[in-house]
């Protein structure tokens, strides 16, 4: 049985490895859905947030205390804003709120 050429195997392995990694947008969308946001709104928000925030800001947002344990639909806007402001990054606050409002209206 002939052995596959390394020239064929390398691109195939690279393609498989590329499929195994999850894009930042997919991760953000998944976390938003876990937090109770409807999938269409979560997809819209994730797209906007990934376009406007750096990876460092997205990681800081991911560390937002306690959101993973709460359904955001049960939170007041004041509580959500308070938690966002605790990150001490006005750009994160602005981007998340604009994305949430805009995507909720559009859906």
């Amino acid at each position: 049985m002939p052995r596959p050429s390394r020239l064929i195997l390398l691109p195939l392995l690279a393609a498989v490895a590329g499929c195994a990694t999850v894009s930042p947008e997919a991760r953000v969308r998944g976390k938003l859905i876990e937090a109770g946001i409807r999938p269409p709104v979560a997809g819209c928000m994730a797209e906007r947030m990934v376009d406007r925030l750096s990876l460092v800001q997205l990681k800081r947002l991911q560390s937002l205390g306690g959101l993973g344990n709460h359904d955001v639909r049960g939170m007041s806007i004041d509580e959500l804003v308070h938690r966002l402001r605790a990150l001490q990054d006005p750009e994160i606050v602005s981007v998340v709120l604009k994305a949430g409002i805009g995507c909720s209206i559009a859906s």
Side-chain angles (χ1 to χ4, degrees):
M1 188 172 200
R3 294 180 64 184
S5 165
R6 286 187 180 164
L7 294 175
I8 294 172
L9 281 179
L10 290 176
L12 179 62
L13 290 173
V16 170
C19 293
T21 59
V22 179
S23 72
E25 185 176 334
R27 277 191 224 136
V28 171
R29 181 177 52 249
K31 292 291 183 182
L32 291 170
I33 291 169
E34 284 177 25
I37 297 179
R38 293 181 299 115
V41 176
C44 173
M45 286 180 67
E47 182 180 339
R48 292 179 185 194
M49 290 165 58
V50 169
D51 285 346
R52 292 175 177 93
L53 297 174
S54 70
L55 288 176
V56 171
Q57 288 172 312
L58 290 170
K59 285 183 182 185
R60 289 187 65 214
L61 186 57
Q62 182 179 1
S63 71
L64 196 61
L67 274 188
N69 303 330
H70 295 301
D71 186 332
V72 293
R73 293 174 294 185
M75 294 177 107
S76 69
I77 295 295
D78 288 339
E79 183 179 357
L80 182 59
V81 170
H82 176 74
R83 289 175 186 241
L84 287 170
R85 284 189 179 153
L87 295 173
Q88 297 181 343
D89 186 330
E91 188 174 18
I92 291 175
V93 176
S94 174
V95 168
V96 172
L97 293 178
K98 285 179 183 177
I101 293 167
C103 292
S104 294
I105 292 170
S107 294

